[in-house]
């Protein structure tokens, strides 16, 4: 069965510092991976997705993620964070079958401090 | 841009009441989803619909039902609300015909059952 693990429930970081949010997955089917961001009191917004091709995926707001098949990881990175990046970040993997149902990780709260 | 609209941002109901949460999308998407979001648990799929009048149970369907009479509208029903259904509820939609399509989310309904 597919699963997603986000080991860090919270990541504190200072403004303008780099950050990496970790995501590991297990999947026995073709891997489609997603990162979503949830700002306070809002729904989820797609940050980036990996479907195939280049393993380095660029998303919105300066974020990027690298698909690593051998390590079954899809870590999210940003070289310099802003206060406005404070939000919860969710990694998700497509479930098996013909639909695009997703399995979500438990989320990582990125807390950017001045 | 895809717009997924949930009818209420905040809702307070009493134990035993029948509760309706409404979701409307404006992009003619075939797939619609209801999730429940709880701290430390991420998003869990309650129900999924891939066409009008078609539905599938998700991971936690107990105590819930759904209705999809029109393509753009997907309703979540709490048959007899209980305090353990206090949560954030998120609706999402996506195009059909492919497993690569991301899901688009509404802003959520924060439901409190007293």
């Amino acid at each position: 069965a597919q699963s997603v693990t986000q080991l860090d429930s919270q990541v504190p970081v200072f403004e303008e510092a780099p950050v990496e949010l970790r995501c590991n997955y297990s999947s026995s089917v073709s891997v489609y991976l997603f990162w979503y961001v949830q700002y306070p009191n809002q729904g989820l917004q797609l940050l980036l997705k990996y479907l195939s091709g280049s393993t380095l995926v660029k998303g919105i707001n300066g974020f990027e993620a690298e698909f690593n098949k051998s390590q079954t990881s899809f870590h999210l990175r940003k070289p310099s964070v802003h206060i406005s990046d404070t939000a919860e970040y969710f990694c998700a993997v497509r479930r098996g079958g013909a639909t695009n149902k997703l399995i979500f990780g438990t989320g990582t709260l990125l807390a950017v401090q001045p | 841009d895809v717009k997924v609209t949930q009818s209420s941002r905040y809702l307070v109901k009493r134990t035993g009441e029948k509760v309706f949460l409404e979701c409307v999308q404006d992009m003619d998407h075939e797939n619609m989803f209801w999730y429940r979001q709880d701290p430390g648990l991420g998003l869990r799929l309650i129900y999924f619909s891939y066409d009008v009048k078609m539905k599938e149970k998700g991971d936690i369907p107990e105590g819930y039902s759904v209705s999809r009479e029109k393509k753009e509208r997907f309703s979540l029903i709490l048959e007899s609300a209980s305090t353990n259904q206090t949560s954030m509820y998120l609706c999402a939609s996506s195009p059909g015909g492919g497993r690569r399509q991301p899901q688009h989310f509404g802003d959520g309904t924060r439901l409190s059952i007293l």
Side-chain angles (χ1 to χ4, degrees):
Chain A
Q2 293 82 15
S3 67
V4 176
T5 302
Q6 293 181 249
L7 286 173
D8 304 308
S9 60
Q10 192 166 341
V11 173
V13 63
F14 287 108
E15 196 173 17
E16 298 184 7
V19 71
E20 178 180 84
L21 305 184
R22 297 181 294 167
C23 173
N24 288 88
Y25 68 91
S26 69
S27 178
S28 58
V29 297
S30 299
V31 177
Y32 301 146
L33 293 155
F34 305 83
W35 273 101
Y36 283 86
V37 59
Q38 184 180 36
Y39 298 105
N41 297 316
Q42 293 186 23
L44 275 68
Q45 178 182 352
L46 182 68
L47 208 52
L48 49 80
K49 60 187 177 185
Y50 171 78
L51 304 178
S52 64
S54 172
T55 57
L56 184 62
V57 180
K58 293 194 183 297
I60 62 172
N61 301 339
F63 283 92
E64 63 182 31
E66 185 160 17
F67 170 63
N68 188 319
K69 189 174 182 179
S70 62
Q71 297 191 3
T72 60
S73 67
F74 190 54
H75 300 333
L76 182 70
R77 300 187 184 102
K78 187 170 183 177
S80 176
V81 295
H82 302 288
I83 295 285
S84 59
D85 292 323
T86 294
E88 189 143 28
Y89 293 78
F90 291 93
C91 182
V93 65
R94 182 185 71 86
R95 300 185 190 220
T99 67
N100 67 341
K101 289 188 286 187
L102 300 175
I103 295 174
F104 285 86
T106 52
T108 298
L109 176 62
L110 175 62
V112 182
Q113 304 164 28
Chain B
D1 271 359
V2 177
K3 186 73 174 172
V4 179
T5 303
Q6 295 184 232
S7 54
S8 305
R9 293 298 304 274
Y10 301 93
L11 208 53
V12 180
K13 296 292 182 180
R14 296 210 171 272
T15 304
E17 279 192 67
K18 191 168 186 176
V19 180
F20 293 85
L21 302 184
E22 306 288 346
C23 175
V24 176
Q25 50 94 4
D26 66 354
M27 284 302 292
D28 203 37
H29 285 170
E30 283 76 13
N31 300 325
M32 296 189 76
F33 309 81
W34 274 108
Y35 292 91
R36 164 176 181 158
Q37 181 181 8
D38 298 289
L41 297 178
L43 276 73
R44 293 179 291 168
L45 182 65
I46 305 172
Y47 265 99
F48 161 63
S49 170
Y50 51 92
D51 203 348
V52 175
K53 296 189 189 292
M54 307 303 285
K55 62 186 179 185
E56 268 185 29
K57 292 182 180 179
D59 301 315
I60 51 165
E62 297 78 19
Y64 303 95
S65 62
V66 289
S67 171
R68 192 162 179 206
E69 297 296 320
K70 293 184 178 182
K71 193 174 185 180
E72 67 271 18
R73 185 180 296 271
F74 192 34
S75 303
L76 180 69
I77 303 157
L78 285 65
E79 298 290 344
S80 177
S82 64
T83 55
N84 62 13
Q85 292 178 309
T86 291
S87 187
M88 169 74 100
Y89 291 87
L90 291 165
C91 175
S93 73
S94 73
R99 294 164 290 176
R100 297 167 163 241
Q101 302 293 341
Q103 294 177 18
H104 302 266
F105 285 81
D107 283 338
T109 296
R110 190 167 293 280
L111 175 65
S112 296
I113 306 296
L114 305 179

